[in-house]
Amino acid sequence: MKMNTLLSLAIGITLSTSSSAFELTSTDITEGQKMAKTFEFSGFGCEGDNLSPQLSWDNAPEGTKSFAVTAYDPDAPTGSGWWHWLGFNIPVETSSLKRGQDMARLGAVELTSDYGSIGFGGACPPKGHGMHRYQFTVWALPVDKLELDNSVSAAILGYTLNSMAIGKAQLTATYNR
């Protein structure tokens, strides 16, 4: 009986003193809510401002040495989704990206989006295709720099991030036309 009481007390103390969860927030987009036209692509029949939203993250896991940020639409009618933004080697002292951020200015590497251009490519779901989800993810990495360059595919970066991230935080906004 005493062992169970001690164990319960120890678990309660551990839970109450554990650090806060890794979290991604934005002043521009809200979880589960439709994004503004500001974040729509300019091209492919879309007429938005093609700006990336502001993103901030807190409570990165212990051991984090750099970050990656991705934006992905799993609802795109491609069979493989649509990569809107892929950046990595973001310095560990970075905890936010401003609206319209060029990650290269931070010393990060940005990959070609599925639009065929480097940097952010906004939402542009086909008209009448329904609501699409846009998953903005910040990845906490245990290395200062990934040994990849800007010629790797989104699949290679995704594989690398999923195989080594020590934490990730996600914010999913929506959009339709």
Side-chain angles (χ1 to χ4, degrees):
M1 187 88 163
K2 282 187 177 185
M3 184 59 107
N4 287 344
T5 304
L6 289 174
L7 184 58
S8 296
L9 181 60
I11 290 171
I13 291 170
T14 300
L15 293 176
S16 66
T17 61
S18 66
S19 62
S20 298
F22 189 29
E23 182 179 32
L24 178 61
T25 59
S26 176
T27 58
D28 288 332
I29 59 175
T30 304
E31 179 71 31
Q33 299 299 307
K34 186 176 178 180
M35 294 186 286
K37 193 169 181 88
T38 300
F39 311 111
E40 181 180 283
F41 191 64
S42 180
F44 280 64
C46 291
E47 300 174 348
D49 295 330
N50 198 42
L51 291 176
S52 60
Q54 182 279 334
L55 301 172
S56 297
W57 52 92
D58 292 310
N59 304 313
E62 187 174 331
T64 300
K65 294 185 177 176
S66 70
F67 297 101
V69 170
T70 59
Y72 176 72
D73 172 5
D75 303 313
T78 63
S80 60
W82 192 273
W83 289 100
H84 289 265
W85 204 17
L86 304 116
F88 59 93
N89 294 345
I90 300 168
V92 70
E93 48 285 333
T94 304
S95 61
S96 67
L97 301 176
K98 65 182 181 180
R99 180 187 293 179
Q101 179 75 58
D102 175 353
M103 284 193 247
R105 291 183 183 258
L106 300 172
V109 176
E110 285 185 290
L111 299 184
T112 302
S113 74
D114 282 339
Y115 289 114
S117 57
I118 291 179
F120 181 76
C124 186
K127 281 187 178 179
H129 197 256
M131 194 65 74
H132 283 225
R133 294 168 291 158
Y134 295 85
Q135 300 167 336
F136 292 86
T137 307
V138 61
W139 306 76
L141 304 172
V143 295
D144 294 320
K145 294 198 180 286
L146 294 178
E147 297 299 321
L148 301 172
D149 62 29
N150 68 352
S151 69
V152 301
S153 68
I156 293 292
L157 179 61
Y159 176 84
T160 303
L161 296 176
N162 279 295
S163 70
M164 72 180 325
I166 56 177
K168 69 179 183 176
Q170 191 170 79
L171 178 60
T172 302
T174 62
Y175 199 73
N176 67 324
R177 295 187 315 128

